């Protein structure tokens, strides 16, 4: 890997690598942000003097805990869980919980680090954090999920609070899990503290649009970006990876705006449906029946399923990776460009490898980085917190309009910041710089914290 052009930033990066051995994803996320910050240090010398970058790279607090639980056979199981409270300069720690067997500290730290800048970009009063466990929800019964969530919260509750730390969902954590977690928090604390978790059910403090928000927000962002390039989503062929929460509502919004999504996937393979993905069928399979995407073919006989296939082989004009980190490589990016892809929007967190990002930027592909493009989920979480704080609940349309405004504003912010710092069209720089400055200025104002 080449060294960072700015020697000060290179030495900060090497220090991060030394202090956090074996955490490749965290190193990757830090490096990408530092690569954007040279001109910021030049413009704001106080950030260097006050060691803002070094402080931001060190989480304020990290909790690692044991989660013992019993499966349906009565067998005792043990998982490891994490909550990394990364930065609270702008508000209480805010960020999702991920339940997936690949989870370890390095994944939670990369996600928490990204969350700081993403949350800053929303303009809402929320700091950055992330948590999760190496628990694998696949194949578990409802009761097992409940027992796991209860045990998880029995440890985590003491670190949470509506003014302290407010978790939500991420991979493997949706409405069902948030319900069990909320129930256990309430039981232990005896407080009906609605604002302690977001993504709640609509009957007990949840917000309309939160379920749809990340996917819808991604498409609003992409629509604004395409407008700036004299294009629209309408009529575009799109490929969306994943078939979870973010993927489903990305597909739905693309279709509402007149685009055509021809493929989606899960970790086993992808489906290619030239007639356009039947999103209601995907919802039924994934949200209701919790089945594999392969079963899509049982209903849609003309579609094609490729076990273990690479979804980026399918030609498209707009690519929307919505599954997981590093799912889109440099080779995939080159293939997408060759097939005429003009825009990429990251619904997942850090789905494109650094090599892939370089290919997109070098070829003037409109590239919406995760921090900006998928901020609609957490922004709507902040709207849920607002509703909880005022004991109010807003209509779908009102909330959706607020989300849309926030996403179009984020696009304008990253576009203008990229331009201002001499790299027009590079929204990676735009997002990193705009998010960083907001956090850094708050930290300077608050003294040595
Ligand atoms: P879900 O659990 O609902 O869905 C995840 C999807 O991605 C599934 O289709 C899953 O397939 C696939 N996937 C997960 N891990 C892997 C893997 N290692 N390899 C291949 N495929 C994988 O999660 P979400 O939709 O909520 O999250 C998707 C992405 O979006 C994540 O990167 C998350 O951090 C990000 N995100 C989520 C937000 C939210 O509000 N939920 C907000 C902003 C970003 P399978 O079922 O086979 O595992
Ligand atoms: O990555 C993310 O922004 C999320 N998983 C959503 C976080 C939140 O607090 O809504």
């Amino acid at each position: 890997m080449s060294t960072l052009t700015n020697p000060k930033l290179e030495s900060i990066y090497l220090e991060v690598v030394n202090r956090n051995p074996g955490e490749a994803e965290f190193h990757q996320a830090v490096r990408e942000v530092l690569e954007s910050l040279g001109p910021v240090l030049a413009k704001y010398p106080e950030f260097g003097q006050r060691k803002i970058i070094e402080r931001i790279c060190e989480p304020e607090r990290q909790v690692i805990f044991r989660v013992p639980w019993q499966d349906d056979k009565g067998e005792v199981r043990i998982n490891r869980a994490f909550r990394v409270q990364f930065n609270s300069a702008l508000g209480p720690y805010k960020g999702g919980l991920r339940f997936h067997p690949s989870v370890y500290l390095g994944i939670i730290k990369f996600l928490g680090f990204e969350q700081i800048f993403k949350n800053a970009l929303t303009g809402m009063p929320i700091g950055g954090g992330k948590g999760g466990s190496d628990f694998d929800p696949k194949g578990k019964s409802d009761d097992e999920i409940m027992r796991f969530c209860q045990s998880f919260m029995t440890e985590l509750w003491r670190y949470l609070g509506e003014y302290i730390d407010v978790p939500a969902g991420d991979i493997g954590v949706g409405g069902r899990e948030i319900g069990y977690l909320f129930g256990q928090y309430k039981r232990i604390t005896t407080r009906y503290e609605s604002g302690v978790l977001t993504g709640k059910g609509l009957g007990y403090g949840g917000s309309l649009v939160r379920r749809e928000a990340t996917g819808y927000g991604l498409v609003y962002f992409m629509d604004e970006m395409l407008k700036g390039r004299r294009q629209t989503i309408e009529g575009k062929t799109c490929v969306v990876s994943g078939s979870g929460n973010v993927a489903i509502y990305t597909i739905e919004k693309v279709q509402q705006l007149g685009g055509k999504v021809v493929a989606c996937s899960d970790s086993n393979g992808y489906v290619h449906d030239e007639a356009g993905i039947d999103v209601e069928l995907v919802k039924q399979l994934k949200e209701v029946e919790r089945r594999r995407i392969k079963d899509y073919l049982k209903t849609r006989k003309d579609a094609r399923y490729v076990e273990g296939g690479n979804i980026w082989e399918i030609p498209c004009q707009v690519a929307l990776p919505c599954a997981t980190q590093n799912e889109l490589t440099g080779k995939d990016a080159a293939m997408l460009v060759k097939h005429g892809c003009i825009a990429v929007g990251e619904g997942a967190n850090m789905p494109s490898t650094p090599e892939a990002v370089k290919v997109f930027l070098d070829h003037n592909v409109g590239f919406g980085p995760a921090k900006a493009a998928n901020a609609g989920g957490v922004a709507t979480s902040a709207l849920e917190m607002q509703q909880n704080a005022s004991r109010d609940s807003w209509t779908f349309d009102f909330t959706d309009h607020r989300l849309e405004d926030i996403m179009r504003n984020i696009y304008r912010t990253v576009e203008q910041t990229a331009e201002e710092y001499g790299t027009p069209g590079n929204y990676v720089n735009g997002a990193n710089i705009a998010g960083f400055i907001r956090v850094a200025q708050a930290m300077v104002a608050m003294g040595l914290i």
Side-chain angles (χ1 to χ4, degrees):
M1 200 184 284
S2 63
T3 51
L4 286 156
T5 43
N6 181 314
K8 175 76 201 150
L9 291 168
E10 175 70 7
S11 86
I12 295 175
Y13 173 70
L14 292 176
E15 181 72 11
V16 167
V17 172
N18 273 334
R19 286 168 62 80
N20 303 276
E23 297 176 359
E25 296 84 359
F26 178 49
H27 304 163
Q28 181 183 337
V30 168
R31 189 179 176 89
E32 190 222 81
V33 170
L34 297 198
E35 272 169 352
S36 300
L37 295 184
V40 178
L41 283 186
K43 185 166 171 191
Y44 297 91
E46 67 272 28
F47 293 169
Q49 284 150 15
R50 306 305 294 163
K51 294 218 165 66
I52 296 291
I53 303 178
E54 291 91 326
R55 278 196 269 156
I56 285 186
C57 290
E58 184 69 24
E60 290 176 12
R61 191 173 300 103
Q62 308 183 55
V63 188
I64 304 182
F65 53 101
R66 179 175 69 199
V67 185
W69 58 282
Q70 259 179 314
D71 67 20
D72 287 344
K73 294 189 190 115
E75 187 103 12
V76 172
R77 307 274 206 113
I78 296 119
N79 285 96
R80 183 176 294 172
F82 309 85
R83 185 72 184 169
V84 175
Q85 299 182 329
F86 229 116
N87 193 294
S88 59
L90 296 178
Y93 310 104
K94 183 81 197 88
L97 297 171
R98 178 177 290 192
F99 292 171
H100 193 272
S102 63
V103 164
Y104 76 107
L105 188 57
I107 298 259
I108 300 301
K109 273 160 78 177
F110 117 66
L111 290 163
F113 183 76
E114 295 258 299
Q115 199 83 45
I116 304 170
F117 309 104
K118 180 196 305 191
N119 293 4
L121 282 172
T122 66
M124 323 282 290
I126 42 180
K130 201 85 185 189
S133 173
D134 58 6
F135 173 72
D136 186 357
K138 280 202 192 84
K140 302 291 188 294
S141 70
D142 245 21
D143 282 348
E144 288 174 326
I145 298 283
M146 181 181 74
R147 287 196 293 272
F148 178 81
C149 288
Q150 290 181 337
S151 182
F152 180 92
M153 189 51 94
T154 300
E155 190 61 33
L156 189 63
W157 72 273
R158 68 188 80 246
Y159 306 102
L160 306 182
E162 63 181 313
Y163 295 103
I164 303 171
D165 185 351
V166 183
D170 194 81
I171 291 175
V173 177
R176 174 182 59 171
E177 291 72 20
I178 294 294
Y180 296 146
L181 291 165
F182 184 73
Q184 187 71 353
Y185 182 87
K186 185 176 81 59
R187 183 182 179 200
I188 293 174
T189 61
T190 74
R191 284 169 63 84
Y192 203 109
E193 196 180 320
S194 300
V196 75
L197 286 163
T198 59
K200 297 180 294 296
L202 298 176
Y204 62 96
S207 172
L208 285 162
V209 193
R210 177 60 189 89
R211 182 183 53 182
E212 294 82 359
T214 313
Y216 278 21
L218 170 65
V219 181
Y220 294 142
F221 180 96
M222 294 306 286
D223 189 57
E224 193 67 24
M225 179 206 288
L226 286 168
K227 264 193 204 152
R229 295 174 173 236
R230 292 180 215 287
Q231 298 269 2
T232 57
I233 292 271
E234 200 181 345
K236 296 284 181 303
T237 300
C238 308
V239 165
V240 176
S241 65
S243 51
N245 173 266
V246 179
I248 287 173
Y249 293 95
T250 296
I251 298 171
E252 183 166 281
K253 185 52 75 177
V254 166
Q255 292 177 345
Q256 286 174 9
L257 297 190
K260 186 173 178 189
V261 179
V262 295
C264 66
S265 60
D266 62 20
S267 57
N268 293 108
Y270 69 76
V271 288
H272 185 189
D273 188 344
E274 302 241 33
I277 292 288
D278 178 345
V279 73
E280 293 308 320
L281 175 57
V282 178
K283 282 186 196 174
Q284 180 64 27
L285 288 172
K286 290 292 180 181
E287 293 184 335
V288 182
E289 298 171 19
R290 299 183 192 273
R291 283 160 58 185
R292 307 309 298 160
I293 202 65
K294 186 182 185 173
D295 292 341
Y296 183 91
L297 264 65
K298 289 188 177 150
T299 309
R300 298 276 284 198
K301 310 271 185 225
D302 292 337
R304 195 164 65 89
Y305 173 72
V306 182
E307 179 85 17
N310 178 0
I311 197 170
W312 310 119
E313 284 166 6
I314 302 168
C316 65
Q317 293 157 295
V318 179
L320 301 162
C322 295
T324 195
Q325 64 277 354
N326 292 324
E327 56 163 310
L328 198 168
T329 65
K331 265 192 189 158
D332 299 332
M335 195 154 50
L336 284 166
V337 169
K338 191 171 132 215
H339 290 157
C341 177
I342 57 158
V344 176
E346 295 190 317
N349 285 306
M350 206 168 76
S352 314
T353 64
E355 297 75 26
V357 176
K358 184 167 181 337
V359 170
F360 294 138
L361 295 179
D362 286 350
H363 290 83
N364 196 29
V365 170
F367 179 71
K371 282 182 199 79
N374 75 30
V378 76
T380 308
S381 278
L383 298 179
E384 183 171 329
M385 291 164 73
Q386 269 187 41
Q387 292 169 77
N388 294 152
S390 58
R391 299 178 185 277
D392 195 1
S393 55
W394 306 339
T395 64
F396 190 96
D397 284 351
F398 178 79
T399 317
D400 190 30
H401 283 137
R402 292 216 39 190
L403 167 65
E404 183 169 353
D405 271 357
I406 291 168
M407 295 314 296
R408 293 189 191 278
N409 273 329
I410 292 177
Y411 171 73
R412 285 179 217 120
T413 302
V414 301
E415 195 261 337
Q416 283 161 16
T417 308
E419 176 105 30
E420 188 187 330
Y421 282 81
T423 54
N426 182 336
Y427 312 130
V428 175
N429 277 345
N432 289 339
I433 294 172
F436 175 82
I437 289 177
R438 190 157 179 246
V439 179
Q441 286 178 329
M443 287 176 72
V444 169
M446 290 179 197
L448 192 51
I449 54 163

